[in-house]
């Protein structure tokens, strides 16, 4: 979240099968909570997030504005489309609808 510090946190290696999802925690809580718990948090007021390779080259980035509680902001169609707000789909494919079971 800081272009002046592109190696602020290194994503640990992870092997994922097609259709799997990886959840990262970004809450600035320094208590040990697993490999996918970052040492920084993102502002609900908005900012820019960068994904960089080991050489520091930007692979992807997104700038988001003020966020709403329990509303997701991600790519739809999943992983390839434009960034937009949508219902939260924790650990599942992004969707623009919700269902009640």
């Amino acid at each position: 979240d800081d272009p002046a510090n592109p190696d602020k946190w290194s994503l640990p290696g992870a092997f994922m099968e097609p259709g799997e999802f990886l959840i990262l925690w970004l809450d600035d809580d320094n208590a040990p909570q697993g490999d996918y718990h970052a040492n920084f948090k993102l502002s609900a007021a908005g900012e820019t997030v960068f994904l960089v390779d080991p050489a520091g080259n930007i692979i992807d980035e997104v700038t988001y504005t003020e966020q709403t509680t329990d509303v997701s902001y991600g790519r739809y169609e999943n992983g390839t489309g434009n960034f937009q707000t949508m219902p939260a789909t924790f650990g599942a494919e992004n969707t623009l609808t919700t269902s009640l079971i």
Side-chain angles (χ1 to χ4, degrees), residues 1-8 50:
D1 70 338
D2 181 354
N5 189 6
D7 60 351
K8 184 177 200 171
F50 302 92

Side-chain angles (χ1 to χ4, degrees), residues 2-27:
D2 181 354
N5 189 6
D7 60 351
K8 184 177 200 171
W9 183 72
S10 294
L11 178 64
F15 179 81
M16 297 170 55
E17 295 289 342
E20 291 184 327
F21 302 91
L22 180 64
I23 306 297
L24 304 175
W25 294 104
L26 293 87
D27 61 7

Side-chain angles (χ1 to χ4, degrees), residues 29-92:
D29 182 348
N30 290 323
Q33 297 177 36
D35 289 341
Y36 302 110
H37 188 259
N39 62 352
F40 67 98
K41 66 180 176 179
L42 300 177
S43 171
E47 63 180 301
T48 301
V49 180
F50 302 92
L51 180 63
V52 299
D53 67 15
N57 301 306
I58 296 174
I59 297 170
D60 202 359
E61 68 182 271
V62 60
T63 299
Y64 65 93
T65 58
E66 186 171 357
Q67 298 297 288
T68 304
T69 302
D70 295 331
V71 174
S72 178
Y73 187 71
R75 283 198 167 111
Y76 184 83
E77 295 192 358
N78 197 58
T80 61
N82 294 323
F83 279 91
Q84 59 187 311
T85 59
M86 63 190 93
T89 56
F90 188 82

